[in-house]
Amino acid sequence: MARFEMLEAGFGTMGSTAQADILLELGMMYATGRDCESDLVAAHKWFNIAAIKGSARAAELRSELSAAMSKPEIARALREAREWMTTH
């Protein structure tokens, strides 16, 4: 059976939208604590990456979330997002 990777680079416009949607869902999962512990830093990281990939909704949620976070938490989330982006 062929393996289908949604997060592969070069997936095209449709793939970019799908990838942003998946990353947005990861942010929602961590923001709400759905199936995991609530983690605002992780949520901000995934919202940030989804926003970079083109999700306007993720950008809005990232902005709202950052109001409830400290500057060191935001800095950590941005570092983690940058690290993820350089390896994926």
Coordinates of all heavy atoms in Angstrom, one line a residue:
M1 N 0.9 -1.2 0.0 CA 0.0 0.0 0.0 C 0.9 1.2 0.0 O 1.9 1.3 0.7 CB -0.9 0.0 1.2 CG -1.7 1.2 1.3 SD -2.7 1.4 2.9 CE -4.0 0.2 2.5
A2 N 0.6 2.2 -0.8 CA 1.3 3.4 -0.9 C 1.1 4.3 0.4 O 0.0 4.3 0.9 CB 0.9 4.2 -2.1
R3 N 2.2 4.9 0.8 CA 2.1 5.8 2.0 C 1.8 7.2 1.5 O 2.5 7.7 0.6 CB 3.4 5.7 2.7 CG 3.4 6.4 4.0 CD 4.6 6.1 4.8 NE 4.6 7.0 6.0 CZ 5.6 7.1 6.8 NH1 6.6 6.3 6.6 NH2 5.5 7.9 7.8
F4 N 0.8 7.8 2.1 CA 0.5 9.2 1.7 C 0.9 10.2 2.8 O 0.4 10.1 4.0 CB -1.1 9.2 1.6 CG -1.6 10.6 1.1 CD1 -1.3 11.1 -0.2 CD2 -2.3 11.3 1.9 CE1 -1.7 12.3 -0.6 CE2 -2.8 12.6 1.5 CZ -2.5 13.0 0.3
E5 N 1.8 11.1 2.5 CA 2.3 12.0 3.5 C 1.7 13.4 3.2 O 2.1 14.0 2.2 CB 3.8 12.1 3.4 CG 4.6 10.9 3.8 CD 4.5 10.7 5.4 OE1 4.3 11.7 6.1 OE2 4.7 9.6 5.8
M6 N 0.9 13.9 4.0 CA 0.3 15.2 3.9 C 1.2 16.3 4.1 O 1.1 17.4 3.6 CB -0.9 15.4 4.8 CG -2.1 14.5 4.6 SD -3.1 15.0 3.2 CE -3.7 16.6 3.8
L7 N 2.3 16.1 4.9 CA 3.2 17.2 5.3 C 4.4 17.3 4.4 O 5.3 18.0 4.8 CB 3.6 17.0 6.8 CG 2.4 17.1 7.7 CD1 2.9 16.9 9.2 CD2 1.7 18.4 7.7
E8 N 4.4 16.6 3.3 CA 5.6 16.6 2.4 C 5.7 18.0 1.8 O 4.7 18.6 1.4 CB 5.5 15.6 1.3 CG 5.8 14.2 1.8 CD 7.2 14.0 2.3 OE1 8.1 14.5 1.6 OE2 7.4 13.3 3.3
A9 N 7.0 18.5 1.6 CA 7.2 19.7 0.9 C 6.9 19.5 -0.5 O 7.0 18.5 -1.1 CB 8.7 20.1 1.2
G10 N 6.5 20.6 -1.2 CA 6.3 20.6 -2.6 C 4.9 19.9 -3.0 O 4.8 19.4 -4.1
F11 N 4.0 19.9 -2.1 CA 2.7 19.3 -2.3 C 1.8 20.1 -3.1 O 0.8 19.6 -3.5 CB 2.1 19.0 -0.9 CG 1.0 18.0 -0.9 CD1 1.2 16.6 -1.2 CD2 -0.3 18.4 -0.6 CE1 0.2 15.7 -1.2 CE2 -1.3 17.5 -0.6 CZ -1.1 16.1 -0.9
G12 N 2.2 21.3 -3.4 CA 1.4 22.2 -4.3 C 0.4 23.1 -3.5 O 0.4 23.0 -2.2
T13 N -0.4 23.8 -4.1 CA -1.3 24.8 -3.5 C -2.3 24.1 -2.6 O -2.5 24.4 -1.5 CB -2.0 25.7 -4.5 OG1 -1.0 26.3 -5.3 CG2 -2.9 26.7 -3.8
M14 N -2.9 23.0 -3.2 CA -3.9 22.3 -2.4 C -3.3 21.7 -1.2 O -3.8 21.7 -0.1 CB -4.5 21.2 -3.3 CG -5.7 20.5 -2.6 SD -6.5 19.5 -3.8 CE -6.7 18.0 -2.9
G15 N -2.1 21.1 -1.3 CA -1.4 20.6 -0.2 C -1.0 21.6 0.9 O -1.0 21.3 2.1
S16 N -0.7 22.8 0.4 CA -0.3 23.8 1.4 C -1.5 24.2 2.3 O -1.4 24.4 3.5 CB 0.2 25.1 0.7 OG 1.4 24.8 0.0
T17 N -2.7 24.2 1.6 CA -3.9 24.5 2.4 C -4.2 23.4 3.3 O -4.5 23.6 4.5 CB -5.1 24.7 1.4 OG1 -4.8 25.7 0.5 CG2 -6.4 25.0 2.2
A18 N -4.1 22.1 2.9 CA -4.3 21.0 3.7 C -3.3 21.0 4.9 O -3.6 20.7 6.0 CB -4.2 19.7 2.9
Q19 N -2.0 21.3 4.6 CA -1.0 21.3 5.6 C -1.3 22.4 6.6 O -1.2 22.1 7.9 CB 0.4 21.6 5.0 CG 1.5 21.5 6.0 CD 2.8 21.7 5.4 OE1 2.9 22.3 4.3 NE2 3.9 21.2 6.0
A20 N -1.7 23.6 6.2 CA -2.1 24.6 7.1 C -3.2 24.2 8.0 O -3.3 24.5 9.2 CB -2.4 25.9 6.4
D21 N -4.2 23.5 7.4 CA -5.4 23.1 8.2 C -5.0 22.1 9.3 O -5.5 22.1 10.4 CB -6.4 22.4 7.3 CG -7.1 23.4 6.4 OD1 -7.0 24.7 6.7 OD2 -7.7 23.0 5.4
I22 N -4.1 21.2 8.9 CA -3.6 20.2 9.9 C -2.8 20.9 11.0 O -3.0 20.5 12.2 CB -2.7 19.1 9.2 CG1 -3.5 18.3 8.2 CG2 -1.9 18.3 10.2 CD1 -2.7 17.4 7.3
L23 N -2.0 21.8 10.7 CA -1.2 22.5 11.7 C -2.1 23.4 12.6 O -1.9 23.5 13.8 CB -0.2 23.4 11.0 CG 0.9 22.6 10.2 CD1 1.7 23.6 9.3 CD2 1.8 21.8 11.1
L24 N -3.2 23.9 12.0 CA -4.2 24.7 12.8 C -4.8 23.7 13.8 O -5.0 24.1 15.0 CB -5.2 25.3 11.9 CG -6.5 25.9 12.5 CD1 -6.1 27.1 13.3 CD2 -7.5 26.3 11.5
E25 N -5.2 22.5 13.3 CA -5.8 21.5 14.2 C -4.8 21.1 15.4 O -5.3 20.9 16.5 CB -6.2 20.3 13.5 CG -7.5 20.5 12.7 CD -8.7 21.0 13.6 OE1 -8.9 20.4 14.6 OE2 -9.4 21.9 13.2
L26 N -3.6 21.1 15.1 CA -2.6 20.8 16.2 C -2.6 21.9 17.2 O -2.6 21.7 18.4 CB -1.2 20.6 15.6 CG -0.9 19.3 15.0 CD1 0.5 19.3 14.2 CD2 -0.8 18.2 16.0
G27 N -2.7 23.1 16.7 CA -2.8 24.3 17.6 C -4.0 24.2 18.5 O -4.0 24.5 19.7
M28 N -5.1 23.9 17.8 CA -6.4 23.8 18.6 C -6.3 22.7 19.6 O -6.8 22.8 20.7 CB -7.6 23.5 17.6 CG -7.9 24.7 16.7 SD -8.4 26.1 17.6 CE -10.0 25.6 18.3
M29 N -5.7 21.6 19.3 CA -5.6 20.4 20.2 C -4.8 20.9 21.4 O -5.3 20.6 22.6 CB -4.8 19.3 19.5 CG -4.7 18.1 20.4 SD -3.8 16.7 19.5 CE -2.1 17.3 19.7
Y30 N -3.7 21.6 21.3 CA -2.9 22.0 22.4 C -3.6 23.2 23.2 O -3.5 23.2 24.4 CB -1.5 22.4 22.0 CG -0.6 21.2 21.8 CD1 -0.3 20.7 20.5 CD2 -0.1 20.4 22.9 CE1 0.5 19.6 20.3 CE2 0.6 19.3 22.7 CZ 1.0 18.9 21.4 OH 1.7 17.8 21.2
A31 N -4.2 24.0 22.5 CA -4.9 25.2 23.1 C -6.0 24.7 24.0 O -6.3 25.3 25.1 CB -5.4 26.2 22.1
T32 N -6.8 23.7 23.6 CA -8.0 23.2 24.3 C -7.7 22.1 25.2 O -8.5 21.7 26.0 CB -9.1 22.8 23.3 OG1 -8.6 21.8 22.5 CG2 -9.5 24.0 22.5
G33 N -6.5 21.4 25.1 CA -6.2 20.2 25.8 C -7.0 19.0 25.4 O -7.3 18.1 26.1
R34 N -7.4 19.0 24.1 CA -8.1 17.9 23.5 C -7.1 16.7 23.2 O -6.2 16.9 22.5 CB -8.8 18.3 22.2 CG -9.6 17.3 21.5 CD -10.2 17.8 20.3 NE -9.2 18.0 19.3 CZ -9.2 19.1 18.4 NH1 -10.1 20.0 18.5 NH2 -8.2 19.2 17.6
D35 N -7.3 15.6 23.9 CA -6.4 14.4 23.7 C -5.0 14.6 24.2 O -4.1 13.9 23.9 CB -6.4 14.0 22.3 CG -7.7 13.6 21.7 OD1 -8.5 13.1 22.5 OD2 -8.0 13.8 20.5
C36 N -4.7 15.7 25.0 CA -3.4 16.0 25.6 C -3.5 17.0 26.7 O -4.6 17.6 26.9 CB -2.5 16.5 24.5 SG -2.9 18.1 23.8
E37 N -2.4 17.3 27.3 CA -2.4 18.4 28.3 C -2.5 19.7 27.5 O -1.9 19.9 26.5 CB -1.1 18.4 29.1 CG -1.1 17.2 30.1 CD -2.0 17.4 31.3 OE1 -2.1 18.5 31.7 OE2 -2.5 16.4 31.7
S38 N -3.2 20.7 28.1 CA -3.2 22.0 27.5 C -1.8 22.6 27.6 O -1.2 22.5 28.6 CB -4.2 22.9 28.2 OG -4.2 24.2 27.7
D39 N -1.3 23.2 26.5 CA 0.0 23.7 26.4 C 0.0 24.9 25.5 O 0.0 24.8 24.3 CB 1.0 22.7 25.8 CG 2.4 23.1 25.8 OD1 2.7 24.3 25.9 OD2 3.3 22.2 25.7
L40 N 0.0 26.1 26.1 CA -0.1 27.4 25.3 C 1.1 27.6 24.4 O 0.9 28.1 23.3 CB -0.4 28.6 26.2 CG -1.6 28.5 27.1 CD1 -1.8 29.8 27.9 CD2 -2.9 28.3 26.2
V41 N 2.3 27.2 24.9 CA 3.5 27.4 24.1 C 3.4 26.5 22.8 O 3.6 27.0 21.7 CB 4.7 27.1 24.9 CG1 6.0 27.1 24.0 CG2 4.9 28.1 26.0
A42 N 3.0 25.3 23.0 CA 2.8 24.4 21.8 C 1.7 24.9 20.9 O 1.8 24.9 19.7 CB 2.6 23.0 22.3
A43 N 0.6 25.4 21.5 CA -0.5 25.9 20.7 C 0.0 27.1 19.8 O -0.3 27.1 18.6 CB -1.7 26.3 21.6
H44 N 0.7 28.0 20.5 CA 1.2 29.2 19.8 C 2.1 28.8 18.6 O 2.0 29.3 17.5 CB 1.9 30.1 20.7 CG 2.2 31.4 20.2 ND1 3.3 31.6 19.3 CD2 1.7 32.7 20.3 CE1 3.4 32.9 19.0 NE2 2.4 33.5 19.6
K45 N 3.0 27.8 18.9 CA 3.9 27.3 17.9 C 3.2 26.8 16.7 O 3.5 27.2 15.5 CB 4.8 26.2 18.5 CG 5.7 25.5 17.4 CD 6.5 24.4 18.0 CE 5.7 23.1 18.0 NZ 6.6 22.0 18.4
W46 N 2.2 25.9 16.9 CA 1.5 25.4 15.7 C 0.6 26.4 15.0 O 0.5 26.4 13.8 CB 0.6 24.2 16.2 CG 1.5 23.0 16.6 CD1 1.6 22.5 17.8 CD2 2.5 22.3 15.8 NE1 2.6 21.5 17.8 CE2 3.1 21.4 16.6 CE3 2.9 22.4 14.4 CZ2 4.1 20.5 16.1 CZ3 3.9 21.6 14.0 CH2 4.5 20.6 14.8
F47 N 0.0 27.3 15.8 CA -0.8 28.4 15.1 C 0.2 29.3 14.3 O -0.2 29.7 13.2 CB -1.5 29.3 16.2 CG -2.7 28.7 16.8 CD1 -3.0 29.0 18.1 CD2 -3.5 27.7 16.2 CE1 -4.1 28.4 18.7 CE2 -4.6 27.2 16.8 CZ -4.9 27.5 18.1
N48 N 1.4 29.5 14.8 CA 2.3 30.3 14.1 C 2.8 29.7 12.8 O 2.8 30.3 11.7 CB 3.6 30.6 15.0 CG 4.5 31.6 14.4 OD1 4.0 32.7 13.9 ND2 5.8 31.4 14.4
I49 N 3.1 28.4 12.8 CA 3.5 27.7 11.6 C 2.3 27.6 10.6 O 2.5 27.8 9.4 CB 4.0 26.3 12.0 CG1 5.2 26.4 12.9 CG2 4.3 25.4 10.7 CD1 5.7 25.1 13.5
A50 N 1.1 27.4 11.1 CA -0.1 27.3 10.2 C -0.3 28.7 9.6 O -0.6 28.8 8.4 CB -1.3 26.9 11.0
A51 N -0.1 29.8 10.3 CA -0.2 31.1 9.8 C 0.8 31.4 8.7 O 0.5 31.9 7.6 CB -0.1 32.2 10.9
I52 N 2.0 30.9 8.9 CA 3.1 31.1 7.9 C 2.7 30.3 6.6 O 3.0 30.7 5.5 CB 4.4 30.6 8.5 CG1 4.9 31.6 9.5 CG2 5.5 30.4 7.4 CD1 6.1 31.0 10.4
K53 N 2.0 29.1 6.8 CA 1.6 28.3 5.7 C 0.4 28.9 5.0 O -0.1 28.3 4.0 CB 1.4 26.9 6.1 CG 2.6 26.2 6.7 CD 3.6 25.9 5.6 CE 4.8 25.1 6.2 NZ 5.7 24.8 5.2
G54 N -0.2 30.0 5.5 CA -1.3 30.6 4.9 C -2.7 30.6 5.6 O -3.7 31.0 5.0
S55 N -2.7 30.2 6.8 CA -4.0 30.1 7.5 C -4.3 31.4 8.2 O -3.6 31.8 9.2 CB -4.0 29.0 8.5 OG -5.2 29.0 9.3
A56 N -5.3 32.2 7.7 CA -5.6 33.4 8.4 C -6.3 33.2 9.7 O -6.0 33.9 10.7 CB -6.6 34.2 7.5
R57 N -7.0 32.1 9.9 CA -7.6 31.7 11.1 C -6.6 31.5 12.2 O -6.7 31.9 13.3 CB -8.6 30.5 11.0 CG -9.2 30.1 12.2 CD -10.3 31.1 12.7 NE -10.9 30.6 13.9 CZ -11.2 31.3 14.9 NH1 -10.9 32.6 15.0 NH2 -11.7 30.8 16.0
A58 N -5.5 30.8 11.8 CA -4.4 30.5 12.7 C -3.8 31.8 13.2 O -3.4 31.9 14.4 CB -3.4 29.5 12.1
A59 N -3.6 32.7 12.3 CA -3.0 34.0 12.7 C -3.9 34.7 13.7 O -3.4 35.3 14.7 CB -2.8 34.9 11.4
E60 N -5.2 34.7 13.5 CA -6.1 35.3 14.5 C -6.0 34.6 15.9 O -5.9 35.3 16.9 CB -7.6 35.2 14.0 CG -7.9 36.0 12.8 CD -9.2 35.7 12.2 OE1 -10.0 34.9 12.8 OE2 -9.5 36.2 11.1
L61 N -6.0 33.3 15.9 CA -6.0 32.5 17.1 C -4.6 32.7 17.8 O -4.6 32.8 19.0 CB -6.2 31.0 16.8 CG -7.6 30.7 16.4 CD1 -7.7 29.3 15.9 CD2 -8.6 31.0 17.5
R62 N -3.6 32.8 17.0 CA -2.2 33.0 17.6 C -2.2 34.4 18.3 O -1.7 34.5 19.4 CB -1.2 33.0 16.5 CG 0.2 33.3 17.0 CD 1.2 33.5 15.8 NE 0.7 34.6 15.0 CZ 1.1 34.8 13.7 NH1 1.9 34.0 13.2 NH2 0.6 35.8 13.1
S63 N -2.8 35.4 17.7 CA -2.9 36.7 18.3 C -3.7 36.7 19.6 O -3.2 37.3 20.6 CB -3.5 37.7 17.3 OG -3.6 39.0 17.8
E64 N -4.8 36.1 19.6 CA -5.6 36.0 20.8 C -4.9 35.2 21.9 O -4.9 35.6 23.1 CB -6.9 35.3 20.5 CG -7.9 36.1 19.6 CD -9.1 35.3 19.3 OE1 -9.5 34.3 19.9 OE2 -9.8 35.7 18.3
L65 N -4.3 34.1 21.5 CA -3.6 33.3 22.5 C -2.4 34.1 23.2 O -2.1 34.0 24.4 CB -3.1 32.0 21.8 CG -2.4 31.0 22.7 CD1 -3.4 30.5 23.7 CD2 -1.9 29.9 21.9
S66 N -1.7 34.9 22.4 CA -0.5 35.5 22.9 C -0.9 36.6 24.0 O 0.0 36.9 24.8 CB 0.3 36.2 21.7 OG -0.5 37.2 21.1
A67 N -2.1 37.0 24.0 CA -2.5 38.0 25.0 C -2.5 37.3 26.4 O -2.4 38.0 27.4 CB -3.9 38.5 24.7
A68 N -2.7 36.0 26.4 CA -2.7 35.2 27.7 C -1.3 34.6 28.1 O -1.2 33.9 29.0 CB -3.7 34.1 27.6
M69 N -0.3 34.9 27.3 CA 1.0 34.4 27.5 C 2.0 35.4 27.9 O 1.9 36.6 27.6 CB 1.5 33.7 26.2 CG 0.7 32.6 25.7 SD 1.1 32.0 24.0 CE 2.7 31.3 24.4
S70 N 3.1 35.0 28.6 CA 4.1 35.9 29.0 C 5.1 36.0 27.8 O 5.1 35.2 26.9 CB 4.9 35.3 30.2 OG 5.6 34.1 29.9
K71 N 5.9 37.1 27.9 CA 6.9 37.3 26.8 C 7.9 36.1 26.7 O 8.2 35.7 25.6 CB 7.6 38.6 27.0 CG 6.8 39.8 26.7 CD 7.5 41.1 26.8 CE 6.5 42.2 26.5 NZ 7.2 43.5 26.4
P72 N 8.4 35.5 27.8 CA 9.3 34.4 27.7 C 8.6 33.2 27.0 O 9.2 32.4 26.2 CB 9.7 34.1 29.1 CG 9.6 35.4 29.8 CD 8.4 36.0 29.2
E73 N 7.3 33.0 27.3 CA 6.5 31.9 26.7 C 6.4 32.1 25.2 O 6.6 31.2 24.4 CB 5.2 31.7 27.3 CG 5.1 31.2 28.7 CD 3.7 31.2 29.3 OE1 3.0 32.2 29.1 OE2 3.4 30.3 30.0
I74 N 6.1 33.3 24.8 CA 6.0 33.7 23.4 C 7.3 33.5 22.7 O 7.4 32.9 21.6 CB 5.4 35.1 23.2 CG1 4.0 35.2 23.7 CG2 5.5 35.5 21.7 CD1 3.5 36.6 23.8
A75 N 8.4 33.9 23.3 CA 9.7 33.7 22.7 C 10.1 32.3 22.5 O 10.6 31.9 21.5 CB 10.8 34.4 23.6
R76 N 9.7 31.5 23.5 CA 10.0 30.0 23.4 C 9.2 29.4 22.3 O 9.7 28.6 21.5 CB 9.7 29.3 24.7 CG 10.2 27.9 24.8 CD 10.0 27.3 26.1 NE 9.0 26.2 26.0 CZ 8.1 25.9 26.9 NH1 8.0 26.6 28.0 NH2 7.3 25.0 26.7
A77 N 7.9 29.8 22.1 CA 7.0 29.3 21.1 C 7.6 29.7 19.7 O 7.6 28.9 18.8 CB 5.6 29.8 21.2
L78 N 8.1 30.9 19.6 CA 8.7 31.4 18.3 C 9.9 30.6 18.0 O 10.2 30.2 16.8 CB 8.9 32.9 18.3 CG 7.6 33.7 18.4 CD1 8.0 35.2 18.6 CD2 6.8 33.5 17.2
R79 N 10.8 30.4 19.0 CA 12.0 29.6 18.8 C 11.7 28.2 18.3 O 12.3 27.6 17.4 CB 12.8 29.5 20.1 CG 13.8 30.6 20.3 CD 14.8 30.3 21.4 NE 14.2 29.8 22.6 CZ 13.7 30.6 23.6 NH1 13.7 31.9 23.5 NH2 13.1 30.0 24.7
E80 N 10.7 27.5 19.0 CA 10.3 26.2 18.6 C 9.7 26.1 17.2 O 10.0 25.2 16.5 CB 9.3 25.6 19.6 CG 10.0 25.3 21.0 CD 9.0 24.8 22.0 OE1 7.8 24.4 21.6 OE2 9.3 24.7 23.2
A81 N 8.9 27.1 16.8 CA 8.4 27.2 15.5 C 9.5 27.3 14.5 O 9.5 26.7 13.4 CB 7.4 28.4 15.4
R82 N 10.5 28.2 14.7 CA 11.6 28.4 13.8 C 12.4 27.1 13.7 O 12.7 26.7 12.6 CB 12.5 29.5 14.3 CG 13.6 29.8 13.3 CD 14.6 30.9 13.8 NE 15.3 30.5 15.0 CZ 15.3 31.1 16.2 NH1 14.6 32.2 16.3 NH2 16.0 30.6 17.2
E83 N 12.6 26.4 14.8 CA 13.4 25.1 14.7 C 12.6 24.1 13.9 O 13.2 23.4 13.1 CB 13.6 24.6 16.1 CG 14.6 25.4 16.9 CD 14.6 25.0 18.4 OE1 14.0 24.0 18.8 OE2 15.3 25.7 19.2
W84 N 11.3 24.0 14.1 CA 10.5 23.1 13.3 C 10.5 23.4 11.8 O 10.7 22.5 11.0 CB 9.0 23.1 13.8 CG 8.2 22.0 13.2 CD1 8.0 20.7 13.7 CD2 7.4 22.0 12.0 NE1 7.2 20.0 12.9 CE2 6.8 20.8 11.8 CE3 7.2 23.0 11.1 CZ2 6.0 20.5 10.8 CZ3 6.4 22.7 10.0 CH2 5.8 21.5 9.8
M85 N 10.4 24.7 11.5 CA 10.4 25.1 10.1 C 11.7 24.8 9.4 O 11.8 24.5 8.2 CB 10.1 26.6 10.0 CG 8.7 27.0 10.4 SD 7.4 26.5 9.3 CE 7.8 27.5 7.9
T86 N 12.8 24.9 10.1 CA 14.1 24.6 9.5 C 14.4 23.1 9.3 O 15.2 22.7 8.5 CB 15.3 25.2 10.3 OG1 15.3 24.7 11.7 CG2 15.2 26.7 10.4
T87 N 13.6 22.3 10.0 CA 13.9 20.8 9.9 C 12.8 20.1 9.1 O 12.9 19.0 8.8 CB 13.9 20.1 11.3 OG1 12.7 20.4 12.0 CG2 15.1 20.7 12.1
H88 N 11.7 20.9 8.7 CA 10.6 20.2 7.9 C 10.4 21.0 6.7 O 10.3 21.9 6.3 CB 9.4 20.2 8.7 CG 9.5 19.2 9.9 ND1 9.9 19.6 11.1 CD2 9.1 17.9 10.0 CE1 9.9 18.6 11.9 NE2 9.4 17.5 11.3

